[in-house]
Amino acid sequence: MSSINEQQQERGSREPMIANSQLRERVELGRQAELILENPAYTAAWNALRRSIQAAWKETATTDTQRMQLLHAQVRMVDGLQNIMNQLVAGGKDAEARLKDRLTKVLDQERKEGLVRRNLRAVMTAAGGPLVVFDSGGGSTQ
């Protein structure tokens, strides 16, 4: 298996290695956020809130700077919530891709090791010699 530094280089990132359990949590959080964003009730409520703030802004006198600032802050907060939800969805998808990539690398490595062992066994059997398999601890078995 490759080292943490090799895995970081493969990702082209200086981000520290994230545990699989943390990635799974991000995937689940992203899925939950996506369900909320796709929920018609949430979408209707968000749109109604945004329209309500915009309507209040249009009705506010240009001289009422305090109210204009308050409405501007409300729009920023509502939009900020939407951005956070979108970031959770994107983070979940990124985490899912990382988990799939890790699984693929592990499976590829296991396939390679299995192929080497089968080939070694075939060579040793064909040669009529004893079958010696080295375990990862450095020992051997027959």
Side-chain angles (χ1 to χ4, degrees), residues 74-90:
Q74 288 176 351
V75 167
R76 290 178 53 105
M77 287 188 337
V78 168
D79 289 346
L81 174 63
Q82 191 78 359
N83 289 335
I84 290 168
M85 296 294 282
N86 288 327
Q87 289 172 2
L88 289 172
V89 171

Side-chain angles (χ1 to χ4, degrees), residues 32-71:
Q32 293 297 320
E34 190 168 32
L35 287 173
I36 291 169
L37 289 173
E38 292 174 351
N39 184 307
Y42 173 82
T43 302
W46 187 87
N47 288 331
L49 180 59
R50 189 97 164 55
R51 281 192 306 271
S52 165
I53 295 169
Q54 288 173 337
W57 192 336
K58 288 178 184 178
E59 295 171 5
T60 302
T62 55
T63 56
D64 192 351
T65 57
Q66 187 176 9
R67 180 152 171 80
M68 295 277 276
Q69 289 174 347
L70 175 65
L71 292 168

Side-chain angles (χ1 to χ4, degrees), residues 10-22:
E10 288 172 10
R11 286 195 319 267
S13 151
R14 293 183 185 266
E15 183 178 317
M17 185 70 168
I18 299 171
N20 288 345
S21 61
Q22 290 175 314

Side-chain angles (χ1 to χ4, degrees), residues 65-124:
T65 57
Q66 187 176 9
R67 180 152 171 80
M68 295 277 276
Q69 289 174 347
L70 175 65
L71 292 168
H72 179 72
Q74 288 176 351
V75 167
R76 290 178 53 105
M77 287 188 337
V78 168
D79 289 346
L81 174 63
Q82 191 78 359
N83 289 335
I84 290 168
M85 296 294 282
N86 288 327
Q87 289 172 2
L88 289 172
V89 171
K93 289 180 179 182
D94 177 62
E96 187 171 21
R98 286 185 185 195
L99 283 170
K100 285 180 182 178
D101 184 52
R102 288 180 185 179
L103 179 60
T104 300
K105 287 177 183 176
V106 167
L107 291 175
D108 287 347
Q109 185 65 29
E110 286 178 0
R111 279 187 212 109
K112 288 176 188 175
E113 289 175 4
L115 182 60
V116 167
R117 287 182 181 157
R118 281 192 302 275
N119 288 338
L120 180 60
R121 188 176 296 120
V123 167
M124 294 304 290

